[in-house]
Amino acid sequence: MNYKFIRFSTIVTIAVCSNTLTAQTLQPAPKLVVNIVVDQLRTDFIEQFSELYSSDGFKHLLTEGTVYEAADYPFKNVDRTSAVAAVATGTTPYYNNIIGTQWIDRNTLRPIQAVDDQKYLYSPAKMLASTISDELKVATSGGAIVYGVAEHKDAAILSAGHAADGAFWIDGNTGKWLTTEYYSHDAISWLMNYSNANPKTPDNKANKNDRVIDLAIACVEGKAMGRDDITDYLAVTLSATSNHTESASDNMEGIYLELDKSIARLVNTIEKNVGSNKVLFVVTSTGYVIEPEPDYAKYKIPTGTFYINRNAQLLNMYLGAIYGQARYVETCFHNQIYLNRKLAEQRHINFSEMLSRSKDFIIQLSGVRAVVDSPYSPNISGDIIVEISPGWQVVNEETGEKFVSRASYVPFPIIFYGAGIKPQRISTPVTVDQIAPTIANAIHIRAPNACSASPLR
């Protein structure tokens, strides 16, 4: 008996069966991925107005998609910019470098925007990790078409990524569509032609979501996205807030009904253009909510005011008594205090010791719950993060910024719909950094280069 032949035949049979099984289980990649992030979307409001929705918007996504009901962000102090960056890169600000909409430039001690760029005015250069769309560009040797569309420039640019063909946003002053020379001349000329053919609505109260969706749809149609065998990628950022913050709390029903219509129009139009089984839609939230400041004192709820500049001056006096009079505190921003690292080096002061003394001093001040070192890069964030007791207000006397400390959980979902996704509800807690690797699995590419989260199942 020829045992070698039998063994070889067995190996071939196993290999063929294995390849056949893989071919049967591996879903074809969608022709288009539409990644939708809705600023301040929350589950309780989605459910509160559910009886009023059309059959094509939230209801359709929630009944026909895979819905992860308990989503969260794996880091604190989330805002629109850091949230969008986390969804795109599949990681936290510690790795992607985007800690918020703006932070202090240590060289100038002035705030800078997350997408500021000296050469192009605006770009994603400060984001130090690749995005899911960047990896798609790499995997397709630049063949994939990638665009980002949003009301705000930070959301448009960061969601699109470094290698995108273009990112478009609405100018807050003129209402015109804008882009940056960081992107291709083709994108700039296309946007110019679109703007000429679709002049802006003169009324500043116009629904910004509708304008974003109009351009997103025009981009899909005009750029023939999802029309060939190479997967394309469209990032869309919408808003679940009012254009006017003073009326936001009074008009949530209207906001969510309009948002429902807007999402339905986006999904239906793209499905008609590309094919319902060829598009993967992903919907999630930025995971935070800006609410009107409550008057806790009126209801005898513990509260107070932490004046960060005033307390930073006290800290400077304390350090001066120890090390000699000088400017040891450079500046404050939000709830962060920046120490003078260069001065410590010049005076041969042990910076770790100075930092420890500073934290010991700050923790004794009224209203302070905790004092922690910066969890991010010392080049872009303060040396000390002051965590205020719930209900207390932080006031920056120099900038006029005010905010109330709240640690409330904001419920929101992650929804995957289309491209063979089966309807199901999953209550297991998940985090948004898992979105990018899940999309990567679906389109058969690698996850972003700083993403260590596992894909959703």
Side-chain angles (χ1 to χ4, degrees):
M1 181 178 294
N2 191 334
Y3 291 100
K4 290 183 178 180
F5 177 76
I6 294 174
R7 184 183 176 192
F8 177 76
S9 300
T10 303
I11 292 173
V12 170
T13 302
I14 292 172
V16 170
C17 290
S18 176
N19 288 337
T20 302
L21 180 62
T22 301
Q24 290 175 345
T25 58
L26 189 64
Q27 293 288 335
K31 303 303 180 187
L32 176 63
V33 174
V34 182
N35 200 351
I36 305 168
V37 176
V38 184
D39 188 30
Q40 301 184 54
L41 180 72
R42 46 194 292 178
T43 301
D44 51 349
F45 284 150
I46 294 176
E47 295 176 346
Q48 182 175 340
F49 311 121
S50 60
E51 295 299 320
L52 305 175
Y53 296 145
S54 67
S55 59
D56 295 331
F58 283 125
K59 282 184 179 179
H60 187 67
L61 295 178
L62 293 171
T63 56
E64 299 300 323
T66 291
V67 182
Y68 294 89
E69 299 175 321
D72 200 4
Y73 278 79
F75 58 94
K76 294 181 179 180
N77 300 320
V78 183
D79 68 358
R80 180 188 65 240
T81 310
S82 60
V84 168
V87 171
T89 62
T91 192
T92 65
Y94 182 85
Y95 293 102
N96 66 32
N97 199 56
I98 303 300
I99 65 172
T101 304
Q102 60 180 359
W103 56 82
I104 292 292
D105 183 338
R106 280 192 178 270
N107 295 321
T108 64
L109 297 182
R110 293 182 177 181
I112 57 172
Q113 301 289 323
V115 293
D116 281 353
D117 188 288
Q118 291 184 350
K119 181 178 180 180
Y120 298 106
L121 193 60
Y122 305 116
S123 84
K126 290 185 175 65
M127 186 164 58
L128 301 184
S130 71
T131 65
I132 184 64
S133 57
D134 291 336
E135 297 296 343
L136 177 60
K137 277 285 192 180
V138 172
T140 60
S141 299
I145 303 170
V146 174
Y147 282 93
V149 186
E151 176 185 349
H152 302 282
K153 59 180 178 289
D154 55 284
I157 291 171
L158 298 176
S159 65
H162 303 87
D165 296 287
F168 309 127
W169 65 90
I170 301 171
D171 184 276
N173 296 318
T174 66
K176 295 180 179 179
W177 281 104
L178 295 179
T179 187
T180 165
E181 291 186 356
Y182 172 85
Y183 300 108
S184 67
H185 291 294
D186 178 63
I188 297 171
S189 61
W190 183 87
L191 181 64
M192 186 179 299
N193 292 334
Y194 174 85
S195 297
N196 290 336
N198 302 272
K200 78 174 185 70
T201 305
D203 183 3
N204 282 333
K205 295 181 181 180
N207 191 315
K208 300 292 180 62
N209 285 338
D210 282 340
R211 294 195 64 197
V212 169
I213 286 171
D214 287 342
L215 184 59
I217 291 172
C219 196
V220 170
E221 295 175 345
K223 296 297 181 180
M225 299 180 75
R227 301 293 180 84
D228 57 22
D229 292 333
I230 300 176
T231 300
D232 299 321
Y233 184 93
L234 176 67
V236 179
T237 307
L238 303 175
S239 176
T241 65
S242 171
N243 290 336
H244 303 279
T245 55
E246 66 271 13
S247 62
S249 60
D250 301 326
N251 193 33
M252 279 301 163
E253 178 180 313
I255 290 169
Y256 273 73
L257 291 183
E258 288 298 322
L259 181 60
D260 176 66
K261 294 177 183 176
S262 298
I263 290 177
R265 183 163 66 90
L266 178 67
V267 172
N268 289 341
T269 305
I270 291 179
E271 283 188 328
K272 289 177 181 177
N273 275 275
V274 182
S276 58
N277 62 334
K278 297 179 181 179
V279 186
L280 173 62
F281 292 93
V282 185
V283 181
T284 195
S285 168
T286 51
Y288 75 101
V289 174
I290 297 176
E291 297 178 307
E293 296 178 3
D295 185 359
Y296 282 133
K298 179 180 179 180
Y299 299 97
K300 301 179 181 180
I301 299 171
T303 185
T305 302
F306 182 84
Y307 295 95
I308 191 164
N309 301 88
R310 190 179 307 172
N311 288 314
Q313 291 173 6
L314 292 175
L315 171 61
N316 197 76
M317 294 172 61
Y318 168 74
L319 294 175
I322 298 172
Y323 301 113
Q325 294 300 311
R327 186 183 178 186
Y328 296 98
V329 177
E330 288 196 303
T331 191
C332 303
F333 181 75
H334 202 55
N335 63 334
Q336 305 172 40
I337 296 176
Y338 291 74
L339 299 179
N340 195 331
R341 291 170 170 264
K342 290 183 179 179
L343 177 64
E345 184 179 354
Q346 291 169 358
R347 294 198 170 192
H348 305 289
I349 298 171
N350 185 304
F351 184 78
S352 297
E353 177 191 274
M354 187 171 82
L355 178 61
S356 178
R357 288 179 182 272
S358 299
K359 290 167 61 179
D360 290 341
F361 178 83
I362 294 292
I363 194 65
Q364 300 178 58
L365 300 175
S366 297
V368 177
R369 180 168 57 90
V371 182
V372 297
D373 297 341
S374 170
Y376 311 124
S377 167
N379 295 324
I380 62 170
S381 57
D383 300 290
I384 298 173
I385 309 297
V386 184
E387 295 187 2
I388 304 302
S389 299
W392 275 63
Q393 183 183 63
V394 177
V395 174
N396 187 313
E397 302 98 297
E398 293 182 2
T399 65
E401 180 192 21
K402 300 178 181 179
F403 66 93
V404 174
S405 175
R406 296 178 66 89
S408 304
Y409 170 68
V410 177
F412 67 92
I414 298 174
I415 305 170
F416 290 84
Y417 163 76
I421 298 294
K422 65 178 181 179
Q424 58 178 325
R425 290 258 183 163
I426 300 173
S427 58
T428 305
V430 297
T431 50
V432 296
D433 54 343
Q434 296 178 276
I435 292 175
T438 305
I439 294 174
N441 267 7
I443 59 180
H444 312 155
I445 64 170
R446 67 180 184 180
N449 59 16
C451 175
S452 59
S454 59
L456 297 168
R457 302 293 182 182

